[in-house]
């Protein structure tokens, strides 16, 4: 059985189609990432799979249960980690877990033991009896992860789990997620707009304007961009692009800061030729910076969609919206 099976899922809001027929499968024990810019349809998709939002069309199963006809079975079998503000910061970490266990009808004795195990897993054992008000942002997120796992879900859904955390804390959260997969075999479906994080996923679907534009391992996706990436900035990038076209038959892409991005087989050999082209004219172009590197997922995204993934942080509005939906449907 696949952990998640999605077939032509569609969601419309009035005249607007937020998710336009996405299909994919997630294997058991896999970390599957949805990578896309602001408004791509990530939260809408994850909300449908968690049964917080009804699909307009299409089918999906989670742990073998149909999201439309067996929503309660789906909910019992999954864990949710959204950036919801639902930790009670007047309670201790342990009390928050116990409260959540009650909501899920986890028997008391079993939940005590599970809570202790999970607090240890996310390195909060020594802070378990401290009120959450005194936790750092990273500690709160770790507690949310522990809480999402309390009822032994086989699939964990995470919507931007590290949003707003500093890089070191983000790395730590990832250590816990990878440990979880390895120790408990939990399948994870997550959304992110952090390229470096997406690299940790076993497979990634790149989503843009409600459609999946590519789906593969991070390595294979990067393989879609041929060779090296040369980035160059000059005194006149428009003119530089024309010269590159005329002299080398190359059409550079435009980067987020207006720099020229060139995909080329042997970048180290190309750079001196390019410099000669820029210098060699009646009006030579001054080169301000040149950079040579291997392709990243950002390059893949730019190549496939023609635009950069957003740089700004996603709003918490989505998460608030989702929480409201969840309570409305309970
Ligand atoms: N309840 C709603 N009513 C109307 N439009 C909505 C609703 N929910 C989402 N949308 C729209 O659907 C599109 C997809 O939204 P969604 O929240 O799924 O994007 P996202 O990929 O999660 O973006 P972000 O990275 O900002 O979280 C957006 O244009 C959004 O404005
Ligand atoms: Mg979102």
């Amino acid at each position: 059985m696949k952990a998640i099976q999605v077939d032509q899922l569609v969601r419309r809001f009035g005249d607007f189609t937020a998710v336009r027929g996405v299909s994919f499968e997630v294997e058991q024990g896999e970390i599957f990432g949805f990578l896309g810019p602001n408004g791509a349809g990530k939260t809408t998709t994850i909300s449908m799979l968690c049964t917080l939002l009804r699909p307009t069309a299409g089918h999906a199963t989670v742990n073998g249960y149909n999201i439309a006809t067996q929503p309660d079975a789906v909910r019992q079998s999954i864990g949710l980690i959204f950036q919801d503000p639902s930790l009670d910061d007047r309670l201790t970490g342990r009390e928050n877990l116990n409260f959540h266990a009650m909501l899920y009808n986890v028997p008391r004795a079993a939940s005590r033991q599970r809570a202790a195990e999970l607090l240890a897993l996310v390195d909060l054992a020594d802070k378990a009896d401290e009120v959450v008000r005194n936790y750092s942002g990273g500690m709160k997120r770790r507690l949310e992860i522990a809480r999402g796992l309390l009822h032994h879900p086989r699939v964990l859904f995470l919507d931007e789990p590290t949003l707003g955390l500093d890089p070191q804390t983000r790395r730590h959260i990832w250590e816990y997620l990878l440990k979880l997969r390895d120790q408990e075999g939990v399948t994870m479906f997550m959304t992110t707009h952090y390229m470096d994080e997406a690299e940790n996923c076993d497979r990634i679907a790149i989503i843009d304007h409600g459609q999946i534009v590519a789906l593969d391992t991070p390595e294979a996706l990067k393989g879609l961009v041929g060779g090296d990436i040369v980035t160059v900035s000059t005194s006149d990038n428009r003119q530089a692009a024309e010269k590159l076209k005329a002299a080398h038959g190359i059409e550079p892409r435009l980067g987020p800061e207006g720099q020229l991005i060139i995909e080329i087989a042997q970048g180290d050999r190309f750079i001196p030729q390019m410099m000669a082209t820029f210098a060699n004219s009646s009006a030579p172009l001054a080169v301000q910076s040149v950079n040579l590197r291997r392709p990243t997922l950002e390059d893949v995204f730019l190549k496939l969609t023609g635009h950069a993934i957003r740089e700004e942080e996603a709003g918490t509005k989505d998460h608030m919206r989702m929480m409201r939906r969840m309570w409305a449907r309970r």
Side-chain angles (χ1 to χ4, degrees), residues 42-43 159-160 314 318-319:
K42 304 182 299 294
T43 297
D159 194 19
E160 309 258 4
D318 293 329
H319 305 286

Side-chain angles (χ1 to χ4, degrees), residues 20-238:
R20 307 160 174 257
V22 299
S23 301
F24 59 92
E25 290 180 342
V26 179
E27 304 291 339
Q28 307 222 10
E30 187 174 33
I31 300 185
F32 188 92
F34 242 36
L35 178 68
N38 225 208
K42 304 182 299 294
T43 297
T44 304
T45 305
I46 206 170
S47 305
M48 289 191 282
L49 296 178
C50 296
T51 77
L52 306 179
L53 190 63
R54 284 181 193 285
T56 308
H59 297 277
T61 62
V62 174
N63 287 315
Y65 302 117
N66 186 308
I67 59 165
T69 59
Q70 301 170 287
D72 291 334
V74 171
R75 288 180 194 193
Q76 281 296 324
S77 72
I78 62 174
L80 302 183
I81 298 167
F82 294 143
Q83 280 207 304
D84 56 71
S86 71
L87 285 173
D88 189 329
D89 66 1
R90 294 161 306 179
L91 302 181
T92 67
R94 195 189 308 280
E95 287 165 348
N96 265 285
L97 296 191
N98 290 341
F99 179 65
H100 185 78
M102 242 163 57
L103 292 181
Y104 272 90
N105 300 320
V106 183
R108 210 179 160 86
S111 80
R112 298 265 134 128
Q113 198 198 329
R114 178 72 173 159
E117 262 171 42
L118 289 169
L119 285 163
L121 179 88
V122 298
D123 271 343
L124 285 175
D126 56 339
K127 300 281 184 201
D129 300 309
E130 176 110 34
V131 287
V132 167
R133 195 189 306 121
N134 300 340
Y135 281 22
S136 68
M139 287 162 68
K140 285 185 187 165
R141 202 64 49 82
R142 270 142 62 194
L143 185 62
E144 283 169 5
I145 291 175
R147 188 184 56 178
L149 289 163
L150 209 53
H151 54 293
H152 295 276
R154 282 177 294 146
V155 177
L156 199 55
F157 288 94
L158 308 103
D159 194 19
E160 309 258 4
T162 61
L163 189 72
L165 299 177
D166 62 83
Q168 194 192 345
T169 310
R170 285 169 49 203
R171 261 198 308 282
H172 277 137
I173 298 284
W174 266 100
E175 280 166 25
Y176 296 116
L177 294 178
L178 295 171
K179 192 157 92 178
L180 258 178
R181 182 199 47 191
D182 297 342
Q183 288 183 5
E184 307 222 352
V186 180
T187 305
M188 294 182 216
F189 179 94
M190 64 153 27
T191 71
T192 183
H193 69 277
Y194 291 120
M195 299 286 169
D196 54 336
E197 271 185 11
E199 298 261 356
N200 287 317
C201 296
D202 297 308
R203 286 188 307 145
I204 305 167
I206 294 182
I207 179 166
D208 192 37
H209 296 303
Q211 282 178 311
I212 292 177
V213 294
L215 193 169
D216 217 322
T217 61
E219 278 315 306
L221 287 173
K222 284 185 281 184
L224 294 175
V225 180
D228 293 326
I229 302 288
V230 173
T231 311
V232 62
S233 210
T234 70
S235 49
D236 184 341
N237 286 340
R238 200 178 47 83

Side-chain angles (χ1 to χ4, degrees), residues 23 29 37 53 57 64 102 110 123 127 133 140 153 188 221 247-248 253 267 280 286-287 290 304 307 312 314 316 330:
S23 301
L53 190 63
M102 242 163 57
D123 271 343
K127 300 281 184 201
R133 195 189 306 121
K140 285 185 187 165
M188 294 182 216
L221 287 173
H248 306 281
R253 290 196 307 273
N280 189 3
V287 174
V290 184
L304 291 174
H307 60 92
E312 84 273 23
T316 42
R330 263 169 190 266

